[in-house]
PDB file of all heavy atoms in Angstrom:
ATOM      1  N   ALA A  40       4.271 -35.511  23.753  1.00  0.00           N
ATOM      2  CA  ALA A  40       4.381 -34.523  24.545  1.00  0.00           C
ATOM      3  C   ALA A  40       4.334 -33.101  24.627  1.00  0.00           C
ATOM      4  O   ALA A  40       5.335 -32.532  24.649  1.00  0.00           O
ATOM      5  CB  ALA A  40       5.467 -34.617  24.064  1.00  0.00           C
ATOM      6  N   TYR A  41       3.190 -32.685  24.735  1.00  0.00           N
ATOM      7  CA  TYR A  41       3.016 -31.254  24.991  1.00  0.00           C
ATOM      8  C   TYR A  41       1.948 -31.163  26.042  1.00  0.00           C
ATOM      9  O   TYR A  41       0.838 -30.777  25.775  1.00  0.00           O
ATOM     10  CB  TYR A  41       2.603 -30.569  23.717  1.00  0.00           C
ATOM     11  CG  TYR A  41       2.705 -29.104  23.789  1.00  0.00           C
ATOM     12  CD1 TYR A  41       3.909 -28.514  24.091  1.00  0.00           C
ATOM     13  CD2 TYR A  41       1.621 -28.299  23.545  1.00  0.00           C
ATOM     14  CE1 TYR A  41       4.006 -27.157  24.125  1.00  0.00           C
ATOM     15  CE2 TYR A  41       1.739 -26.950  23.576  1.00  0.00           C
ATOM     16  CZ  TYR A  41       2.925 -26.384  23.866  1.00  0.00           C
ATOM     17  OH  TYR A  41       3.030 -25.029  23.895  1.00  0.00           O
ATOM     18  N   PRO A  42       2.238 -31.540  27.271  1.00  0.00           N
ATOM     19  CA  PRO A  42       1.177 -31.691  28.257  1.00  0.00           C
ATOM     20  C   PRO A  42       0.621 -30.375  28.729  1.00  0.00           C
ATOM     21  O   PRO A  42       1.370 -29.486  29.059  1.00  0.00           O
ATOM     22  CB  PRO A  42       1.884 -32.422  29.400  1.00  0.00           C
ATOM     23  CG  PRO A  42       3.306 -32.028  29.255  1.00  0.00           C
ATOM     24  CD  PRO A  42       3.548 -31.804  27.802  1.00  0.00           C
ATOM     25  N   PRO A  43      -0.669 -30.258  28.752  1.00  0.00           N
ATOM     26  CA  PRO A  43      -1.303 -29.087  29.334  1.00  0.00           C
ATOM     27  C   PRO A  43      -1.466 -29.260  30.819  1.00  0.00           C
ATOM     28  O   PRO A  43      -1.152 -30.315  31.359  1.00  0.00           O
ATOM     29  CB  PRO A  43      -2.651 -29.058  28.641  1.00  0.00           C
ATOM     30  CG  PRO A  43      -2.922 -30.502  28.399  1.00  0.00           C
ATOM     31  CD  PRO A  43      -1.604 -31.168  28.190  1.00  0.00           C
ATOM     32  N   PRO A  44      -1.985 -28.234  31.463  1.00  0.00           N
ATOM     33  CA  PRO A  44      -2.241 -28.387  32.896  1.00  0.00           C
ATOM     34  C   PRO A  44      -3.186 -29.537  33.145  1.00  0.00           C
ATOM     35  O   PRO A  44      -4.134 -29.735  32.394  1.00  0.00           O
ATOM     36  CB  PRO A  44      -2.867 -27.036  33.271  1.00  0.00           C
ATOM     37  CG  PRO A  44      -2.455 -26.104  32.195  1.00  0.00           C
ATOM     38  CD  PRO A  44      -2.316 -26.919  30.964  1.00  0.00           C
ATOM     39  N   ASN A  45      -2.945 -30.271  34.194  1.00  0.00           N
ATOM     40  CA  ASN A  45      -3.805 -31.406  34.517  1.00  0.00           C
ATOM     41  C   ASN A  45      -4.032 -31.419  36.024  1.00  0.00           C
ATOM     42  O   ASN A  45      -3.327 -32.075  36.757  1.00  0.00           O
ATOM     43  CB  ASN A  45      -3.155 -32.707  34.045  1.00  0.00           C
ATOM     44  CG  ASN A  45      -4.103 -33.882  34.217  1.00  0.00           C
ATOM     45  OD1 ASN A  45      -5.304 -33.723  34.045  1.00  0.00           O
ATOM     46  ND2 ASN A  45      -3.563 -35.043  34.548  1.00  0.00           N
ATOM     47  N   PRO A  46      -5.005 -30.635  36.493  1.00  0.00           N
ATOM     48  CA  PRO A  46      -5.230 -30.573  37.930  1.00  0.00           C
ATOM     49  C   PRO A  46      -5.529 -31.943  38.493  1.00  0.00           C
ATOM     50  O   PRO A  46      -6.052 -32.814  37.804  1.00  0.00           O
ATOM     51  CB  PRO A  46      -6.430 -29.622  38.048  1.00  0.00           C
ATOM     52  CG  PRO A  46      -6.475 -28.891  36.744  1.00  0.00           C
ATOM     53  CD  PRO A  46      -5.918 -29.819  35.736  1.00  0.00           C
ATOM     54  N   VAL A  51      -6.709 -38.755  33.266  1.00  0.00           N
ATOM     55  CA  VAL A  51      -5.568 -38.551  32.380  1.00  0.00           C
ATOM     56  C   VAL A  51      -5.804 -39.350  31.106  1.00  0.00           C
ATOM     57  O   VAL A  51      -6.057 -40.537  31.148  1.00  0.00           O
ATOM     58  CB  VAL A  51      -4.254 -38.989  33.040  1.00  0.00           C
ATOM     59  CG1 VAL A  51      -3.098 -38.845  32.075  1.00  0.00           C
ATOM     60  CG2 VAL A  51      -4.021 -38.186  34.305  1.00  0.00           C
ATOM     61  N   SER A 225       3.687 -20.273  30.531  1.00  0.00           N
ATOM     62  CA  SER A 225       4.204 -21.570  30.956  1.00  0.00           C
ATOM     63  C   SER A 225       3.104 -22.538  31.340  1.00  0.00           C
ATOM     64  O   SER A 225       3.370 -23.703  31.575  1.00  0.00           O
ATOM     65  CB  SER A 225       5.157 -21.383  32.135  1.00  0.00           C
ATOM     66  OG  SER A 225       4.500 -20.738  33.201  1.00  0.00           O
ATOM     67  N   ILE A 227       1.150 -23.799  29.475  1.00  0.00           N
ATOM     68  CA  ILE A 227       1.051 -24.791  28.421  1.00  0.00           C
ATOM     69  C   ILE A 227       2.285 -25.657  28.335  1.00  0.00           C
ATOM     70  O   ILE A 227       2.359 -26.539  27.508  1.00  0.00           O
ATOM     71  CB  ILE A 227       0.818 -24.106  27.073  1.00  0.00           C
ATOM     72  CG1 ILE A 227       2.045 -23.279  26.699  1.00  0.00           C
ATOM     73  CG2 ILE A 227      -0.410 -23.261  27.099  1.00  0.00           C
ATOM     74  CD1 ILE A 227       1.970 -22.706  25.329  1.00  0.00           C
ATOM     75  N   GLN A 228       3.251 -25.431  29.189  1.00  0.00           N
ATOM     76  CA  GLN A 228       4.496 -26.184  29.094  1.00  0.00           C
ATOM     77  C   GLN A 228       4.982 -26.575  30.473  1.00  0.00           C
ATOM     78  O   GLN A 228       6.121 -26.387  30.831  1.00  0.00           O
ATOM     79  CB  GLN A 228       5.567 -25.355  28.390  1.00  0.00           C
ATOM     80  CG  GLN A 228       5.204 -25.040  26.960  1.00  0.00           C
ATOM     81  CD  GLN A 228       6.243 -24.150  26.329  1.00  0.00           C
ATOM     82  OE1 GLN A 228       6.897 -23.403  27.033  1.00  0.00           O
ATOM     83  NE2 GLN A 228       6.390 -24.218  25.043  1.00  0.00           N
ATOM     84  N   THR A 229       4.117 -27.117  31.252  1.00  0.00           N
ATOM     85  CA  THR A 229       4.485 -27.428  32.616  1.00  0.00           C
ATOM     86  C   THR A 229       5.212 -28.758  32.729  1.00  0.00           C
ATOM     87  O   THR A 229       5.668 -29.112  33.783  1.00  0.00           O
ATOM     88  CB  THR A 229       3.232 -27.468  33.496  1.00  0.00           C
ATOM     89  OG1 THR A 229       2.293 -28.384  32.911  1.00  0.00           O
ATOM     90  CG2 THR A 229       2.606 -26.084  33.566  1.00  0.00           C
ATOM     91  N   ARG A 230       5.298 -29.494  31.612  1.00  0.00           N
ATOM     92  CA  ARG A 230       6.014 -30.759  31.673  1.00  0.00           C
ATOM     93  C   ARG A 230       6.977 -30.844  30.513  1.00  0.00           C
ATOM     94  O   ARG A 230       6.776 -30.218  29.488  1.00  0.00           O
ATOM     95  CB  ARG A 230       5.018 -31.935  31.595  1.00  0.00           C
ATOM     96  CG  ARG A 230       4.019 -31.915  32.745  1.00  0.00           C
ATOM     97  CD  ARG A 230       3.073 -33.085  32.652  1.00  0.00           C
ATOM     98  NE  ARG A 230       2.038 -33.006  33.671  1.00  0.00           N
ATOM     99  CZ  ARG A 230       1.072 -33.904  33.799  1.00  0.00           C
ATOM    100  NH1 ARG A 230       0.999 -34.916  32.977  1.00  0.00           N
ATOM    101  NH2 ARG A 230       0.166 -33.768  34.752  1.00  0.00           N
ATOM    102  N   PRO A 231       8.001 -31.640  30.653  1.00  0.00           N
ATOM    103  CA  PRO A 231       8.961 -31.756  29.539  1.00  0.00           C
ATOM    104  C   PRO A 231       8.306 -32.424  28.349  1.00  0.00           C
ATOM    105  O   PRO A 231       7.337 -33.156  28.477  1.00  0.00           O
ATOM    106  CB  PRO A 231      10.073 -32.625  30.138  1.00  0.00           C
ATOM    107  CG  PRO A 231       9.423 -33.365  31.260  1.00  0.00           C
ATOM    108  CD  PRO A 231       8.387 -32.450  31.813  1.00  0.00           C
ATOM    109  N   PRO A 232       8.858 -32.180  27.169  1.00  0.00           N
ATOM    110  CA  PRO A 232       8.253 -32.730  25.967  1.00  0.00           C
ATOM    111  C   PRO A 232       8.143 -34.239  25.948  1.00  0.00           C
ATOM    112  O   PRO A 232       7.349 -34.781  25.222  1.00  0.00           O
ATOM    113  CB  PRO A 232       9.189 -32.235  24.852  1.00  0.00           C
ATOM    114  CG  PRO A 232       9.843 -31.019  25.424  1.00  0.00           C
ATOM    115  CD  PRO A 232       9.964 -31.283  26.881  1.00  0.00           C
ATOM    116  N   SER A 233       8.941 -34.914  26.742  1.00  0.00           N
ATOM    117  CA  SER A 233       8.893 -36.362  26.714  1.00  0.00           C
ATOM    118  C   SER A 233       7.725 -36.931  27.493  1.00  0.00           C
ATOM    119  O   SER A 233       7.455 -38.113  27.449  1.00  0.00           O
ATOM    120  CB  SER A 233      10.205 -36.922  27.270  1.00  0.00           C
ATOM    121  OG  SER A 233      10.386 -36.482  28.600  1.00  0.00           O
ATOM    122  N   ALA A 234       7.052 -36.104  28.250  1.00  0.00           N
ATOM    123  CA  ALA A 234       5.939 -36.595  29.042  1.00  0.00           C
ATOM    124  C   ALA A 234       4.795 -37.001  28.151  1.00  0.00           C
ATOM    125  O   ALA A 234       4.605 -36.461  27.085  1.00  0.00           O
ATOM    126  CB  ALA A 234       5.481 -35.513  30.021  1.00  0.00           C
ATOM    127  N   PRO A 235       3.972 -37.972  28.554  1.00  0.00           N
ATOM    128  CA  PRO A 235       2.834 -38.374  27.718  1.00  0.00           C
ATOM    129  C   PRO A 235       1.853 -37.236  27.588  1.00  0.00           C
ATOM    130  O   PRO A 235       1.604 -36.497  28.518  1.00  0.00           O
ATOM    131  CB  PRO A 235       2.238 -39.564  28.485  1.00  0.00           C
ATOM    132  CG  PRO A 235       2.719 -39.389  29.884  1.00  0.00           C
ATOM    133  CD  PRO A 235       4.059 -38.741  29.795  1.00  0.00           C
ATOM    134  N   ALA A 236       1.290 -37.109  26.405  1.00  0.00           N
ATOM    135  CA  ALA A 236       0.349 -36.024  26.164  1.00  0.00           C
ATOM    136  C   ALA A 236      -0.942 -36.299  26.879  1.00  0.00           C
ATOM    137  O   ALA A 236      -1.436 -37.399  26.926  1.00  0.00           O
ATOM    138  CB  ALA A 236       0.094 -35.896  24.663  1.00  0.00           C
ATOM    139  N   SER A 237      -1.509 -35.274  27.445  1.00  0.00           N
ATOM    140  CA  SER A 237      -2.801 -35.405  28.105  1.00  0.00           C
ATOM    141  C   SER A 237      -3.551 -34.116  27.984  1.00  0.00           C
ATOM    142  O   SER A 237      -3.006 -33.052  28.208  1.00  0.00           O
ATOM    143  CB  SER A 237      -2.614 -35.750  29.584  1.00  0.00           C
ATOM    144  OG  SER A 237      -1.882 -34.747  30.223  1.00  0.00           O
TER     145      SER A 237
END
Side-chain angles (χ1 to χ4, degrees):
Y41 193 58
N45 187 35
V51 177
S225 58
I227 66 173
Q228 296 176 333
T229 54
R230 300 181 185 179
S233 60
S237 60

